[in-house]
Amino acid sequence: MLLDACHPKAGSSRVRIGYQRDGVLLLAQSEGRLETELKAVGVTGVEWILFPSGPPLLEAMRAGAVDFGATGETPPIFAQAGDAPLVYAAAEPVTGAGQALLIPRGSTVRSIAELKGRTLGFTPGSTSHLFALQALKGAGLTLNDVHQVPLSPPDGAAAFAKGALDGWIVWDSYFALAERDLSARPILTANQLPGTSSFYLASKAFADGSPKVLSALLTSLSQSAQRGNARPDLAIRTIARASGLSEDIVRISRRRGPFAVAPLTDALIARQQVAADTFSEAGVIPKRIRVNDAAWRGWMVAA
């Protein structure tokens, strides 16, 4: 695929949305209402593109193959540090209960400190990367004190199942599946670490060229989130059917935090800045970034 040919034009009538197999975007994709609601602002087609995690989604956005998507807090930090032309468009404050550091069944490890010199799997550039930095720092360690194993969530699940990892940092639904199918034991969850948010992100070309479409898109997603929270059983069935996951796994994930699509606030941006500073201070990204430089406030005005 020639990604250079995929850069959107101002006022484009087609919107390409990158999504993962959980959350508001999957719910919206399954409902089928978004396409109808965006017709009012001139959108003639919506293309949904599935990704296993945030980093490849934002790589596609940087290449011009995706206009809009959602990730955890970390992928946009790496993207902004790499001068990727994207913006934060809205936020989803998270409880942190849906991400954990898992230890295999039968492991004698009982604390983060005991992982020193052992293998720790996580997805580089994802929210699990920030989790690793924060968790190890709390135990007086750094990433240099463990054997880092960079893995996508599906590859991490396979490695963890084979016993190739002493610890694995991952989010739902992989977290819930590992607990159910592998008797994995969480020794730390993200709600015990500094608070973060997930974010809805857009390419700068899309935000600048189609601000009314972006605002309408966020409004529609916010309504999907509200419907999902109001009718959780229906949302669980919808996501299970669309993702191929069992309803019990989706139910566990949904109990760990509500759906949300919230306008950006100074507090949310400040919290994201703390996460960005964690990476720059650890030397993981090449420079300090200002998160607010990439904040798009258009929906706040329209909301």
Side-chain angles (χ1 to χ4, degrees):
M1 182 178 190
L2 297 177
L3 295 180
D4 288 344
C6 296
H7 285 276
K9 298 177 181 178
S12 173
S13 62
R14 183 169 65 104
V15 178
R16 299 157 302 171
I17 300 176
Y19 72 108
Q20 299 177 55
R21 62 173 187 170
D22 199 359
V24 175
L25 287 179
L26 180 58
L27 185 61
Q29 190 263 356
S30 304
E31 287 182 318
R33 295 192 185 199
L34 181 67
E35 290 83 351
T36 300
E37 292 170 355
L38 290 186
K39 286 181 181 178
V41 288
V43 174
T44 59
V46 175
E47 180 182 356
W48 296 90
I49 307 167
L50 182 63
F51 290 88
S53 62
L57 191 162
L58 292 193
E59 288 173 12
M61 185 177 290
R62 178 172 188 161
V66 169
D67 303 313
F68 182 86
T71 75
E73 80 292 303
T74 298
I77 291 171
F78 277 71
Q80 191 178 359
D83 298 320
L86 59 78
V87 297
Y88 293 86
E92 180 175 17
V94 296
T95 66
Q99 184 177 206
L101 197 168
L102 302 176
I103 301 300
R105 177 179 57 188
S107 171
T108 60
V109 172
R110 292 290 183 273
S111 69
I112 307 297
E114 292 177 60
L115 286 173
K116 184 174 183 178
R118 298 175 184 255
T119 56
L120 179 62
F122 60 90
T123 304
S126 77
T127 185
S128 63
H129 198 157
L130 178 64
F131 188 121
L133 284 173
Q134 293 174 332
L136 291 169
K137 182 178 180 180
L141 303 175
T142 70
L143 286 174
N144 292 329
D145 292 309
V146 297
H147 296 296
Q148 303 171 52
V149 185
L151 294 165
S152 68
D155 290 340
F160 190 80
K162 290 189 297 185
L165 299 174
D166 295 304
W168 180 37
I169 302 172
V170 76
W171 52 85
D172 278 327
S173 56
Y174 298 97
F175 171 16
L177 283 166
E179 282 189 299
R180 186 194 68 181
D181 298 343
L182 303 174
S183 299
R185 177 167 49 88
I187 61 171
L188 184 71
T189 53
N191 56 358
Q192 298 168 274
L193 298 171
T196 61
S197 299
S198 292
F199 289 95
Y200 299 90
L201 303 138
S203 71
K204 193 170 188 306
F206 177 50
D208 289 347
S210 304
K212 290 183 179 179
V213 174
L214 180 52
S215 291
L217 171 55
L218 293 169
T219 297
S220 180
L221 292 176
S222 177
Q223 293 167 354
S224 288
Q226 292 170 24
R227 287 191 295 271
N229 291 329
R231 302 183 67 185
D233 289 340
L234 177 59
I236 287 166
R237 289 196 299 273
T238 300
I239 291 176
R241 186 167 55 249
S243 66
L245 295 167
S246 63
E247 289 189 17
D248 64 315
I249 289 297
V250 177
R251 192 176 302 278
I252 290 170
S253 300
R254 297 283 27 107
R255 285 174 180 165
R256 289 171 172 158
F259 297 111
V261 184
L264 297 178
T265 64
D266 290 343
L268 289 171
I269 292 298
R271 191 158 72 171
Q272 179 70 347
Q273 186 65 55
V274 171
D277 290 345
T278 298
F279 282 106
S280 60
E281 289 165 4
V284 178
I285 58 176
K287 62 183 178 182
R288 187 178 188 275
I289 61 170
R290 290 186 71 251
V291 172
N292 197 51
D293 290 345
W296 184 80
R297 308 277 185 165
W299 190 50
M300 180 176 289
V301 174

